Amino acid sequence: MSDLTLILLCAGESNRFKLPLKKQWLRIGHDPLWLFVTNRLKAGGFFQKIIITAHNDEVAFMRHYCDECIVAGGENRQASLRHALEQVQSDYVMVSDVARACVDEALIKRLIERKGEADVIVPALGAVDTITYRDQTIERAEVFRLQTPQLSKTAMLRQALQSDTIYTDESSAIVAAGGTRLLIEGDEAAHKITFASDLHNIPCLKAPSSATLSGNGFDVHAFEEGRYMVLCGVTIDVPFGFKAHSDGDVAIHALIDALLGAAGLGDIGMLFPDTDPRYKDIDSTKLLHVTIQKLRHFGFEPTNVDLTLIAQTPRLQNYKDAMRTRMAELLGIDKGRVNIKATTTEQLGFIGRKEGIAVLASASLNYFDWTQE
Ligand code: MG
């Protein structure tokens, strides 16, 4: 069995990326980038174990996609790496960054062939341009750009990362701790995604799937005296509202479930537990706003929504246009992509007895198309 573990660092904030989504959630076909990279690196069968670091808020959603060992990262790359190293049992560890999306098997093999020849083996590229440093031209034959993945002795890397100094790669930490570094031929194709413009220079990436994802949602709330009524973020002029932990906007609650359903992100109760005092009497448009931000962060774009409001009372026909306007604004889509229907139950059941109302919602999403950027 291999004595090598792969750690793939995917817990970054994408601060320099400047698109509505985080780069680890760019879609390559259907797969998020982090899964695409994992599968590429896994294909050669070189690793006894693969550990993926994730942002704390993303661990649960990442586990939805694969069975690899996903561990919560830390406040920076080095802290994330320390967490991941706790799960490593092998003598050697290879560390790569999700941004280095197109590392190929030949580079992995070159690293493995040299394993043990130094404390860390590093792919490196020379400089082709003239290089100056503080106005002095320096000998470019002695300048190297260090890439990932790097292959380290696990014990040495653990020891090197005890330091409080922040290093941008493992080899700098190992050398600072007195270890040895061996440079091998890097790979120009293993370019790193830092800015959105880099996406067009990464050869192995393919466009996101144009598939539409759909979800549905359903919610009911009973009427309660002494509260105000708001539906789809629009105040309804009646002397009662809904019994609820939040403001009771049953239409927005059903819609949030439809959106989360389409994305595979669970349900409203998981995102905003009704036992949490932060959500007491909260304006549900704020919950929708957070939901939309989350969807965008994970690489989804809402395309259209359709709501059916089922109420014997109040009469909602005259509010439908205002609701469409408000929903379009909250979702960041054209009003033409928002449909609102109102119906009764012909006086049947709890709705017919005017005890409360129900809402059915459906929503569809597309993957964010980064090829257009
Ligand atoms: Mg509700």
Side-chain angles (χ1 to χ4, degrees), residues 275-327:
T275 46
D276 188 329
R278 281 181 300 166
Y279 305 126
K280 177 94 182 94
D281 294 327
I282 195 168
D283 173 351
S284 294
T285 63
K286 290 188 180 147
L287 305 182
L288 181 57
H289 180 73
V290 172
T291 305
I292 296 293
Q293 274 187 317
K294 203 172 196 54
L295 293 179
R296 293 223 153 89
H297 161 130
F298 285 129
F300 302 103
E301 289 280 309
T303 50
N304 78 296
V305 302
D306 182 27
L307 294 163
T308 304
L309 314 179
I310 312 168
Q312 199 68 51
T313 192
R315 281 192 61 76
L316 298 170
Q317 294 299 338
N318 295 341
Y319 292 97
K320 288 197 304 191
D321 193 54
M323 289 175 175
R324 285 179 59 221
T325 303
R326 186 77 179 112
M327 285 284 124

Side-chain angles (χ1 to χ4, degrees), residues 219-221 250 253:
D219 198 21
V220 170
H221 279 276
V250 57
H253 298 176

